[in-house]
Amino acid sequence: MTKVFLVINIFLIGGFTFSQVGIVDTVGWTTYDFPPFHARRTIVNDFRFGTHITWLADFPPYRDVRYNFFNCNTGRWLGEAGVFLVRTGLPSLHIIPTGEAVVGAHGTDGNSPLRPMVAKDVAPGSGLFPEVSEGPEGFTCPLITVTQNGWIHFAIIDYPDGEDIYYTKIRQWPNWEEPILLAEGVGPFHNITSSLVSNNLIVLWTTALPPGMIDSVAYRISTNGGDTWGPITYIPFPPAFSPGSETFPSFYSIYGFFDRTENFHIVASLYPVIRDTMRFIPAEIWHYCPNNNPAWSKIRRAEPETLAGEIDEVFATRPSIGQNPTTQTLIATWEEFIGSNPEPINNQLRSGIWVSASDDNGRTWTTPRVITDTTATISFRFPCIAEKIDHYAWITYLADSIAGSEMPKTRNPILVHRVPIDWIVGLSEKELKARSLSSSLLISPNPFHKLTTIRLPHTAHCPRLEIYNSQGRLIKSFCPQAKNVIVWNGEDERGKKVPIGIYILKLEGRGIKEREKVIFLW
């Protein structure tokens, strides 16, 4: 198992100082702080090359989509790069199987109607998007995903009515297929996601129920890359807010995810409706997996002890979810207002970013932990977690220097926060340090692309480290002398690169015997 230290860092952003756990990078800037309708995929972690991120940069009179990339081999960010050459909004992101980023948005050149569009990078992480394909007129709000066959898929909304949800795809670049109607009378939120290992797709959306303040969730699944779709399926409500004769739960924000074993997951925020009246407080974050029994599990109930300011939406919302493919640990993140931390300019409450973990496919969740400083004079908003997690959870969010979406506009940083998963599961600093001194191998990164560092325990005397493939054949051995760090470049004893796959590390020495798995990706 990969292990990391708990690190509390002090950060200076825009003249404000605050403390957070892990590593925080400023990757770009924006003045746009109006709440997007819910979490959508804006960050992708590719173990082969690095981490992609996109966001909306609004510096009047211009509004465009920006992109940045963290190279996992150099350990550096590329720098801000523009994606489209026209006014655009509502970006979302994925990668094609060869590693290039594709960014979806809706936009217009000012002379044509608003329409969906997509841009493709020329190489993994280059930040060059010369190829842009424009979608059909009369549609907007394109959310994007990519299946393993390389097809690019979109869930779109009819424009300007915004009442029906459609599906379309690019099977062969740059040609869009005719949109297919998936559901009528939807809203206000929708999402699309694809499997990490197959061509399965799911589109989900909220839809209003009588008496008009209750939103349920429905979905349709395709198992063949969107060529055909299953029937509309409604998800049952979770037992949120201890429903009674006058209290009903309603969905607010939804996010879907396929794990490595093809289990489908939803994380959602809910609010109570009492006598036909919507209440922003309390709010609850729930997890759904149809393979679990029960299918729903509660992650968080957010109900402040004090309320020193105002809010204009649900108290805890915009959840998203990812998974470590080695340990199968699920990590959920969301934003939540801080009842004791109002913005003095407008009395709007500031917000923080929270996380929780599950090691049993979402049946139970660890005690939620806040990863941002709850006393900071910054409001942290709009999180999204990369669906593939290594020993860090990669989370992007906005740091709003003035809480709320009111004028005046401020120049706000876009952050990427790497949070140690050992800390998320609830280990203290003392426990983390004790774990790092235990007799376990420390492998980082894992999975890896070019190089991985293997730290041997200090208790290993006269050690011998052997690497075996999945068939049990010895491919590489090390006999380190007077050092406990080994760097493996994915080569065997003959200096040839090994195939992609899982390898077993066996460490033996006087008084010690250890086994660990490492995943090699070209």
Side-chain angles (χ1 to χ4, degrees), residues 82-330:
V83 178
F84 301 97
L85 298 179
V86 298
R87 181 178 175 87
T88 44
L90 200 68
S92 60
L93 169 74
H94 213 177
I95 58 173
I96 60 179
T98 49
E100 293 85 356
V102 285
V103 180
H106 57 213
T108 176
D109 59 6
N111 300 314
S112 59
L114 193 67
R115 65 198 305 169
M117 54 185 61
V118 61
K120 183 169 65 171
D121 205 350
V122 299
S126 76
L128 302 174
F129 294 88
E131 296 186 72
V132 176
S133 179
E134 295 186 350
E137 293 184 10
F139 298 94
T140 187
C141 300
L143 298 186
I144 188 172
T145 195
V146 180
T147 43
Q148 290 301 297
N149 56 12
W151 298 351
I152 306 171
H153 309 265
F154 305 86
I156 52 180
I157 301 293
D158 61 323
Y159 181 79
D161 295 334
E163 295 180 352
D164 303 327
I165 187 168
Y166 286 76
Y167 161 80
T168 183
K169 67 171 170 279
I170 295 178
R171 192 188 305 255
Q172 183 175 9
W173 184 269
N175 304 313
W176 295 65
E177 298 191 355
E178 186 71 21
I180 299 170
L181 176 65
L182 290 184
E184 297 177 304
V186 304
F189 304 140
H190 71 290
N191 221 318
I192 185 171
T193 192
S194 57
S195 166
L196 299 174
V197 295
S198 74
N199 297 321
N200 288 345
L201 281 168
I202 187 165
V203 174
L204 59 157
W205 61 89
T206 58
T207 183
L209 296 175
M213 294 300 296
I214 307 296
D215 283 332
S216 65
V217 171
Y219 67 87
R220 295 184 71 173
I221 286 182
S222 172
T223 59
N224 54 13
D227 284 344
T228 59
W229 290 86
I232 295 176
T233 302
Y234 287 87
I235 296 175
F237 285 92
F241 311 112
S242 301
S245 59
E246 297 180 330
T247 302
F248 298 91
S250 180
F251 288 96
Y252 185 69
S253 180
I254 54 174
Y255 190 94
F257 168 71
F258 281 103
D259 67 21
R260 299 294 296 184
T261 58
E262 295 287 275
N263 287 328
F264 176 64
H265 303 259
I266 290 176
V267 283
S269 64
L270 294 99
Y271 59 87
V273 175
I274 303 174
R275 301 193 198 98
D276 301 340
T277 301
M278 174 183 177
R279 304 292 178 93
F280 287 157
I281 303 173
E284 293 185 358
I285 306 294
W286 283 77
H287 166 266
Y288 174 84
C289 180
N291 298 79
N292 292 347
N293 186 17
W296 282 106
S297 58
K298 184 163 64 177
I299 301 175
R300 168 75 168 169
R301 179 182 176 95
E303 188 169 16
E305 295 182 358
T306 182
L307 201 63
E310 301 174 356
I311 58 173
D312 56 5
E313 61 177 327
V314 172
F315 195 77
T317 187
R318 296 187 180 87
S320 57
I321 188 172
Q323 184 184 49
N324 181 295
T326 303
T327 65
Q328 306 299 310
T329 300
L330 295 169

Side-chain angles (χ1 to χ4, degrees), residues 299-300 334 354-357 365-370 423-426:
I299 301 175
R300 168 75 168 169
W334 64 94
W354 291 70
V355 291
S356 182
W365 293 83
T366 61
T367 300
R369 310 187 80 170
V370 60
W423 180 84
I424 296 174
V425 301

